[in-house]
Amino acid sequence: MPKATRKKKLKQADFQVSLQKEAQGRQEAGSAANVTDVSFKSQKISLRPQRIAAPGASGGSGGGANATAATAASDPAAVAAKQQRIRDVLAQCRHYSPQNRKDAVGQLHDLLSSEAMELASMNLGAIANDVAALILDESQSVRTALLTFFTSYVSWIDEMALMPFGAVIIAFATSAMSHISDSIRADGLRMLKILVPRFPNVIVKHYHTILPHFLDLLSAHTKSRSASGGRGIGSFGLKSELNELKGREQLLEGFYHFIKLVLRPKALDGSNDQTGTQTSFFGEVLSTKSSGRVSILAASATKILGASRAHSLTTSKDMEDLLELLFPALVDFWIESSDVFDAPKLAWSPSIGICLLVIQILLAATRESPNSLAAKNCAALLKKHMLPNFPFAGSAMTNDERIDKALAQINLGFASILLSLHSLAGPQDDTLSIVSGVSVYVVNLLSSSEILNSNAPALNIAALESVISALCSHGHETEALIALIKFQKGTKSMSAAYGTFGILSRMEITSSHAAAAEFEMWILSLARQLRQIRTWNPAFTKDVLVYLSHMSKIVSESLQAAILPFLYNPPKEGKKAKFGPLIELSDEVQQCTVDLLYFLCAWSPAMVEAIAECFTQPEVSDTTALAMLDVIMARQRMPERALSPSVYGSLLVTVCLGYTRRYLNEAAESEPTDRSLPKSVTVPSTKPQTNPQLASVASLLERRQQMVEIVSADLAWGYFAPSLALLLNQSLPIDAQFGILSMLAQAASGQQPTASMDRQTQESMAKSLHDLIKVSNIMPSGGEKLRIQCAGLVEKLQSRWPGVMLH
């Protein structure tokens, strides 16, 4: 009994100790005794679905992987499964968790790619409504993921497919640009910059809804300065990205690309003003009319539209209103950034980029001339805040070509804007000093050695032309014009030479002008530039040839000698003959050369030789060679340009035959060339289809026949028959033999008297015909046609010379 009682007491004591410990633990946890802890923890692993490879893509297991991908892409079940996956991901874009929304955009980037064009097109509406709306998301990471997705997405989406949803996407982008959050504003601007270059038609269609948001961002700094009397932050926060230099540069850059796209010359015509205007409100296209009745797509309702945030740029008055809003804001940007030009040594900074963008925007905005009052107000702003420091950074040292280019564009652009507005504003007291200062700057700019280097900055050709034209209107163009001529002849930059050539070619300089002598010398120097350009810039060569054709009456005699090396350089002082760039150029450029040759004065013997050498080359197309024959015959009807009968006939025969005496003499002394088959024809050992010479014989024979038919209407072949027959006694290419026989056949069937030929000459004619028959038997194509032509030649030749017989 004592032992049993003791064990019972010990158990009760242990139970009391455990209860005390449990109670103490609950007290420490601060919870009631009857509360159960229901918290739990869990972890998950999220894996993005693998992208289905496009058929033909490399990687993986080679052909097996490609076949699997092709099967999956064409499998309706796989396509349906992927479409369902896209719907699920689009639903996640509206999730309350920012991380989930970010992951959804990333998964969408993997699912919708250039390999899934059909799926992407099917989901354009959902992307426009659900995904584009994330540009207004409060999470910076979500917006960054969206911009990454859009950068890739717009690179392969067709603009016409996106057009129905463009209004929705533009609405979200513009809403972001006017958001209260500065970071969302900056991202909205980035989104619009992505859309502008890829979807220009969408931007132009909805430009009137985009423009006011841009103007609000641009005017924020102006409003702040007018309110505080100094530098301020406007509607931006203290740490706003758009308050920094880089942010302002991005803002101006986005607006410049937008306004350059929107401001088209035809859109600035006042005649395009219409009674009804188009306004876009978040995807609904509304048409307002004088009756106040509004048509919303297919539906209509009676409604009077009040003031809307839509701006139109269809009339000159609209452009003047835009200038009144733009100029103060842009001048304010200039004032805040132009301090960089006061430094003794310049280094690139965003401030220089801001000043350059200000000038480029003003150039685009002033392309349509405003009225005198608006021009006077804008010119007053420029003269007050910008003109005192012109030329900008004139005394600063620079060692960066990027800065040199920017300074040239800034100064030239400013001079163009100022002179344009100043002339529209009417006569003023400071006109002479402004024009003189601009003239001095232009002369110094074009005379500086830095821009003559091929690596130097390219000039703003449009601004330079505007400045030169303005100087001409004020009578101060002589020095600038001479400097421009010297620059065009001396620059090593092909683009600069081409651009300044365009300026000079559009100017009309009379013989009494102070720069007339320099202008004529420049015209002659263009022939030398043709040899330097060669085949590097065919458009430049073509424009020079067309211009020389128009100016040939002024410098015709001197131009003929100057253009000769462009065609042909005859052998002299032990040097072989050398062809100019003409035969290497395209058919279009060769045709322009033929036009120029028509307008020249009477051809010299050297020019006749150059024409014969150039236009008998196989590199000259059939069309160009036939056009040259037309020019030769047309000029012969002009007494002041006609050649002597012997030279005229010899030139026509040479071009028709396709070979000059120099070539035939050189060919007789050397091995036969591959221009055509020689007179002695043998069946080649290779198959006819693989013989490279026979492949071009048919086209050469066709060319000779066409030329003989054209010339036969203007040339008396009977006088040339003896000389032509004697040519058959020497080794000739087969197409030349065909041409001679065709000419002799024309002489035999013509009305002109023909001289008799001895039996040996007639046998030579028969032997040539026999060679033609042998060629027709081995030709891969056109052999039957050649045999028929030979039969016709035999019939015509035998009617006059019976000794021409085939055995």
Side-chain angles (χ1 to χ4, degrees), residues 150 154 159-160 162-174 177 188-214 253-264 267 278 280 311-313:
F150 256 91
V154 302
E159 185 176 20
M160 294 304 297
L162 191 70
M163 185 68 74
F165 312 101
V168 179
I169 297 176
I170 295 299
F172 284 124
T174 52
M177 292 172 63
L189 179 63
R190 292 189 182 95
M191 182 175 180
L192 196 63
K193 287 177 64 177
I194 295 173
L195 298 174
V196 166
R198 185 63 184 87
F199 304 121
N201 293 324
V202 174
I203 298 299
V204 171
K205 181 179 179 181
H206 303 285
Y207 79 91
H208 47 277
T209 59
I210 302 173
L211 182 59
H213 299 278
F214 261 125
E253 183 181 4
F255 181 69
Y256 170 63
H257 292 297
F258 166 75
I259 205 70
K260 185 175 63 173
L261 181 66
V262 169
L263 292 182
R264 299 178 179 178
Q278 296 291 327
S280 174
H311 287 250
S312 174
L313 298 177

Side-chain angles (χ1 to χ4, degrees), residues 749-775:
S749 60
Q751 300 297 327
Q752 299 88 0
T754 55
S756 60
M757 298 183 187
D758 55 19
R759 187 173 184 82
Q760 182 180 359
T761 303
Q762 296 183 40
E763 290 178 354
S764 298
M765 296 166 62
K767 192 172 185 304
S768 296
L769 285 168
H770 183 68
D771 290 342
L772 286 171
I773 295 297
K774 291 173 63 177
V775 171

